[in-house]
Amino acid sequence: ELKVEQNPLFLSMQEGKNYTIYCNYSTTSDRLYWYRQDPGKSLESLFVLLSNGAVKQEGRLMASLDTKARLSTLHITAAVHDLSATYFCAVEPYGGSQGNLIFGKGTKLSVKP
Amino acid sequence: DAGVIQSPRHEVTEMGQEVTLRCKPISGHDYLFWYRQTMMRGLELLIYFNNNVPIDDSGMPEDRFSAKMPNASFSTLKIQPSEPRDSAVYFCASMLAGGVHNEQFFGPGTRLTVL
């Protein structure tokens, strides 16, 4: 069974601190997506990682992909309250149907002053 | 572009009633996905369409659920009869395949409560 596991599932951080969210997956894939969801809102695309070693950065967030280890990380630098949200990673299995994403359970991030 | 449009945004109904959720994908997108999100099960793919044709409905939980896409700009997800355990947020997403990213764009969701 294909699995996408995120950890931690809950993360409480202080403003200004750094932390990393991990996304492990159990199948071959060269496409990995990170989404953000604010409470009561929809999912917003953050990053699309398409190859081994891919690194994308936007503001205080940086995502990377290691396809050999089947691992993606989302690193938060100097967290601010506005980053409080739930972050999902999603994997498109190699050789599978286009767009058939398997989502992790999400990491709920709370940034406190 | 207005993005993916879903209606209604909130629906409260009683057990046994029929519920119809609607979705308008982004113009030009050729894939449409229906998801369900609950606290217990997270985000689950129910069914998806390519060029209006259902490709995979293995995520549809029961025969009570059905989905149609009569044309490229409209899709429905119907639950008949509805049950309390169907209470969830239902998202529609669309995608233009064949590009570099295969990125899905999500609608605002429909929050369904079945009493």
Side-chain angles (χ1 to χ4, degrees), chain B residues 16-86:
Chain B
Q17 296 298 306
E18 177 180 297
V19 175
T20 300
L21 311 181
R22 297 172 177 80
C23 175
K24 176 179 169 55
I26 293 172
S27 178
H29 281 192
D30 53 357
Y31 276 77
L32 184 140
F33 304 82
W34 282 101
Y35 291 91
R36 178 172 68 176
Q37 186 177 40
T38 61
M39 288 292 293
M40 290 297 295
R41 300 176 67 90
L43 196 62
E44 303 173 278
L45 176 64
L46 300 177
I47 184 172
Y48 70 97
F49 297 82
N50 175 220
N51 291 325
N52 314 337
V53 176
I55 301 302
D56 186 350
D57 66 353
S58 59
M60 297 284 261
E62 301 171 33
D63 291 345
R64 297 184 296 107
F65 286 69
S66 61
K68 294 181 180 180
M69 192 165 185
N71 57 62
S73 59
F74 183 66
S75 177
T76 60
L77 178 68
K78 185 177 293 187
I79 308 172
Q80 165 64 14
S82 59
E83 296 183 3
R85 59 193 168 123
D86 301 331

Side-chain angles (χ1 to χ4, degrees), chain A residues 10 31 33 35 37 39-48 50 56 86 88 92 96-105 108, chain B residues 6 9 31 33 35 37 40-43 45 48 55-56 91-92 95 97-109 111:
Chain A
F10 299 93
R31 288 176 185 262
Y33 303 79
Y35 284 86
Q37 186 179 34
K41 303 292 186 182
S42 187
L43 279 78
E44 172 191 356
S45 178
L46 290 175
F47 300 110
V48 181
L50 299 177
K56 294 277 186 74
T86 299
F88 293 90
E92 183 178 307
S97 300
Q98 291 194 89
N100 189 355
L101 300 183
I102 310 300
F103 281 81
K105 290 193 178 298
K108 186 172 183 178
Chain B
Q6 291 186 247
R9 296 292 306 277
Y31 276 77
F33 304 82
Y35 291 91
Q37 186 177 40
M40 290 297 295
R41 300 176 67 90
L43 196 62
L45 176 64
Y48 70 97
I55 301 302
D56 186 350
F91 288 104
C92 174
M95 178 182 86
V100 178
H101 290 160
N102 276 2
E103 188 175 357
Q104 293 186 25
F105 295 85
F106 283 74
R111 182 172 294 276

